Amino acid sequence: MTESAQLGDGTRAVRAGLPEAHKNEPTLPGPVFAAHFHLPGDVSGPYTYGRDDNPTWTHLERAIGELEAPGHEDVDTLVFASGMAAISAVLFSQLKAGDTVVLPSDGYQVFPLVAEQLRAYGVEVHMAPTAGDAQLDALDRAKLLWIETPSNPGLDVCDVRRLADAAHERGALVAVDNTLATPLGQRPLELGADFSVASGTKQLTGHGDILLGYVTCRDAELAASVRRWRKIVGAIPGPMEAWLAHRSLATLHLRAERQNANALALARALRDRDDVENLRYPGLPDDPSHEVAARQMRRFGCVVSFTLPTRTRAERFMEALTLVDDATSFGGVRSTAERRRRWGGDDVPEGFIRFSAGAEDPDDLVADVLRALDETAAQGL
């Protein structure tokens, strides 16, 4: 462990991954655009060809590693072109025909497609929900357990340490999707996971203008296998995206503090409304996930979910909002929301809303949501 483990989240976020200071050089070097590098004689050194590595990736990967596992020098992070590229890299680098994987049945809506592809490659797929640590019952013969906590979009939470210990006892690896929590909310490697995986598209970078993913682990052999998969598939980020992502990390602490506070304020405002059902936010003391979340999370995220009575009511509610964009994804500085069932991949009611709190003034944001609810209620929808 190094001294950086003692730093606060804000200090770490603004300084993570910065190179050693040199006179007259920028504190954060600009993006390196290069398909190849000078390479006379025998192959040596870290940078040879642009699909293998890039100095801009290196700074970003070190920064993410410092956030995911503060003070640990043995951490490896690999960045990818998207969150799904990162997820795929872990799954397809670790699994082969005849292996068994356990996936969340209530996770990100692309998982049914992932399960279909894995089965086509001869991998046995077991699926179980996040709540109640239900994946425990599906661990027999598993090679890999995939955890998504909090789950997207239902916001259920499972006990990562308990599941990781049980999986390791059975010889299985454990990967945790840390997208919704971010490293400032949860550190899966400290809870026993082998991989922490996330879409950097969301709150990590926070501006809705970058597609990015990453995998972090502390086992050199596991990291090497994921790196090999990235080399084979070529699912690499552009240097400009990597540089923008690193620049965005400096404000992660500030953004997370405001967005998480806004999410809690919104959840509290919605708690007593008769027209809002199945309100979920792990930060609410009476949320079904709060007890477990409070043990393993340091912040509860920026996403709130709830259900309105009908599809029509939900659609009119979305139209009535003025400070909230009707858009998919989450984690941006501008609040977004959507009627999630429109995609067809999530097992949620027609009136289910996934709401991502941005960095607006909390009073303005809450007032806009309550006004939109009141207006649509008055219409008798």
Side-chain angles (χ1 to χ4, degrees), residues 69-295:
H72 292 280
E73 300 290 348
D74 58 347
V75 67
D76 281 299
T77 298
L78 296 163
V79 290
F80 290 82
S82 68
M84 279 309 304
I87 289 171
S88 299
V90 173
L91 291 171
F92 292 104
S93 68
Q94 303 306 310
L95 298 169
K96 64 182 185 301
D99 286 340
T100 298
V101 63
V102 180
L103 302 178
S105 59
D106 55 342
Y108 182 46
Q109 65 165 352
V110 178
F111 267 112
L113 295 178
V114 172
E116 180 181 340
Q117 190 63 56
L118 287 168
R119 290 184 178 113
Y121 288 155
V123 175
E124 185 174 347
V125 178
H126 297 167
M127 304 191 79
T130 300
D133 299 342
Q135 289 177 306
L136 283 172
D137 295 331
L139 284 176
D140 286 347
R141 301 186 308 279
K143 172 70 179 299
L144 175 66
L145 166 64
W146 192 278
I147 297 171
E148 184 176 292
T149 182
S151 62
N152 173 28
L155 304 183
D156 279 319
V157 172
C158 60
D159 187 328
V160 175
R161 173 73 66 184
R162 182 187 182 202
L163 285 166
D165 288 348
H168 290 153
E169 287 175 2
R170 292 164 173 79
L173 296 170
V174 179
V176 175
D177 187 325
N178 205 34
T179 302
L180 203 146
T182 82
L184 297 194
Q186 179 173 265
R187 294 175 186 154
L189 300 184
E190 294 181 358
L191 296 171
D194 300 290
F195 302 95
S196 182
V197 188
S199 168
T201 308
K202 312 300 193 298
Q203 193 175 22
L204 189 83
T205 57
H207 293 81
D209 54 8
I210 301 169
L211 289 175
L212 191 85
Y214 69 85
V215 177
T216 298
C217 60
R218 292 179 56 196
D219 183 292
E221 291 187 10
L222 293 178
S225 64
V226 176
R227 185 184 299 275
R228 179 175 181 271
W229 180 262
R230 184 178 69 175
K231 179 181 177 71
I232 293 170
V233 176
I236 58 174
M240 190 66 188
E241 286 79 4
W243 183 82
L244 286 170
H246 196 171
R247 185 184 70 165
S248 296
L249 287 185
T251 61
L252 174 58
H253 178 255
L254 298 174
R255 290 184 281 107
E257 287 291 297
R258 170 57 72 87
Q259 290 174 258
N260 292 11
N262 280 356
L264 180 58
L266 177 63
R268 286 172 172 165
L270 296 176
R271 190 161 42 183
D272 297 325
R273 289 192 64 102
D274 293 336
D275 52 351
V276 170
E277 301 173 352
N278 196 30
L279 172 68
R280 297 299 305 273
Y281 182 64
L284 287 174
D286 56 352
D287 186 273
S289 292
H290 180 74
E291 182 179 352
V292 176
R295 289 201 304 265

Side-chain angles (χ1 to χ4, degrees), residues 300-369:
F300 298 108
C302 62
V303 177
V304 178
S305 70
F306 56 94
T307 301
L308 296 178
T310 65
R311 169 177 176 169
T312 301
R313 174 74 187 282
E315 290 173 343
R316 295 289 176 84
F317 165 73
M318 292 300 308
E319 293 171 2
L321 292 167
T322 59
L323 297 180
V324 182
D325 295 330
D326 189 340
T328 195
S329 198
F330 56 85
V333 291
R334 289 174 291 278
S335 291
T336 60
E338 66 174 335
R339 190 183 69 82
R340 189 66 185 166
R341 185 63 181 272
R342 65 184 178 175
W343 294 98
D346 295 307
D347 184 18
V348 294
E350 290 286 357
F352 182 94
I353 300 292
R354 186 182 71 181
F355 194 105
S356 173
E360 298 87 357
D361 286 334
D363 291 345
D364 295 335
L365 180 61
V366 171
D368 188 47
V369 172

